[in-house]
Amino acid sequence: NINQQKKEIVFISSYRPNNIQRSQNENRIALELFKLAKKNKIPFKILPRFRELSSKHVAYSEELKLEIEFYKNFFKENVNFIIKSNLSSYDILQNYRYVFASASTLATEFLAKGGRAGFITFKSKGNPFFNFGFGTYEGLKKKGLFWTNDHKFNTKEITRVFNNVIYTKNSIWIKKSSIYSKKILSYEYNNISFKKIINRIK
């Protein structure tokens, strides 16, 4: 229910402490989105990959500490992290209006359900994780309404994707985003088709 979603931005981190190629430009993308969010007076948060699974945990894991440092050392400003929650990352995202990521199945699932998700992938040539960009394996163009994939960092492209995700009219968003999301991941409420197959097997 979009009326119950917070009008805030969540950036899904793909940071890996021991994988420079996977983490390339993650902090730079997050910082540019943070600046745009601040300019447009929209709260901004980062959902860490290594977040705590329980709100009762006191000590952070070493991976989470490194992930927080990865962003904080680059931002030089206070940034909010969604760390302690009893909810799964999937359920957390349902409470927010806007989601951005470099490459994330969570973001793709959010998009498939009609959510507003933006995908920004900037990896250097030869970086195998460039192929994880939205629509790469499906043969989509490098740029679209809500995504951009390139080997060079491009702030103008981040701004374009940001504005499209935030300000595209809802009727247009639903119509256009569904065309591409179905090519990547199709969503069906209650898995009706899958259940029919299982029942036939039984």
Side-chain angles (χ1 to χ4, degrees):
N1 187 343
I2 62 172
N3 294 322
Q4 294 178 359
Q5 290 177 319
K6 300 175 184 178
K7 292 183 179 180
E8 299 180 12
I9 293 170
V10 174
F11 176 74
I12 302 175
S13 171
S14 295
Y15 169 78
R16 301 290 192 284
N18 299 314
N19 196 323
I20 297 175
Q21 289 183 310
R22 181 63 184 263
S23 305
Q24 185 184 29
N25 288 327
E26 287 290 302
N27 48 7
R28 293 183 68 187
I29 294 170
L31 178 59
E32 291 303 318
L33 289 171
F34 173 78
K35 290 177 180 177
L36 288 167
K38 192 174 182 179
K39 183 179 179 180
N40 289 269
K41 298 180 180 180
I42 304 173
F44 178 88
K45 296 176 180 178
I46 294 176
L47 181 66
R49 177 175 177 78
F50 297 99
R51 72 176 188 82
E52 301 295 327
L53 296 177
S54 172
S55 58
K56 297 179 181 179
H57 291 173
V58 177
Y60 293 171
S61 66
E62 288 303 313
E63 291 86 357
L64 181 57
K65 288 179 182 178
L66 290 171
E67 187 170 15
I68 292 174
E69 288 177 7
F70 175 75
Y71 290 101
K72 279 192 171 181
N73 290 341
F74 193 79
F75 270 54
K76 306 300 181 184
E77 290 187 64
N78 289 328
V79 57
N80 294 320
F81 292 86
I82 304 173
I83 297 174
K84 295 184 178 181
S85 174
N86 291 318
L87 296 175
S88 67
S89 295
Y90 181 84
D91 288 330
I92 286 174
L93 290 184
Q94 307 310 307
N95 295 317
Y96 293 90
R97 182 69 59 86
Y98 313 111
V99 169
F100 288 88
S102 178
S104 167
T105 53
L106 271 174
T108 306
E109 290 168 0
F110 185 81
L111 177 73
K113 291 186 70 176
R116 289 181 176 246
F119 300 83
I120 302 167
T121 303
F122 295 138
K123 306 292 184 187
S124 59
K125 289 185 177 180
N127 188 329
F129 292 99
F130 176 78
N131 295 320
F132 286 15
F134 185 85
T136 302
Y137 287 113
E138 290 75 19
L140 298 184
K141 294 180 179 180
K142 290 184 178 181
K143 301 175 184 179
L145 176 69
F146 52 86
W147 77 91
T148 183
N149 302 315
D150 205 343
H151 293 301
K152 293 183 179 180
F153 195 87
N154 191 327
T155 54
K156 288 184 179 180
E157 271 299 287
I158 295 177
T159 301
R160 181 187 68 81
V161 172
F162 178 91
N163 287 334
N164 286 344
V165 171
I166 305 297
Y167 296 114
T168 297
K169 289 183 179 180
N170 202 47
S171 57
I172 297 175
W173 176 267
I174 293 173
K175 181 180 179 180
K176 291 191 174 182
S177 65
S178 62
I179 293 173
Y180 297 104
S181 65
K182 287 178 181 178
K183 294 180 180 180
I184 312 296
L185 178 67
S186 182
Y187 171 76
E188 183 181 58
Y189 179 74
N190 241 352
N191 285 324
I192 296 174
S193 297
F194 178 71
K195 288 179 179 178
K196 287 181 179 179
I197 294 172
I198 295 300
N199 290 330
R200 284 202 298 269
I201 295 173
K202 289 180 179 179

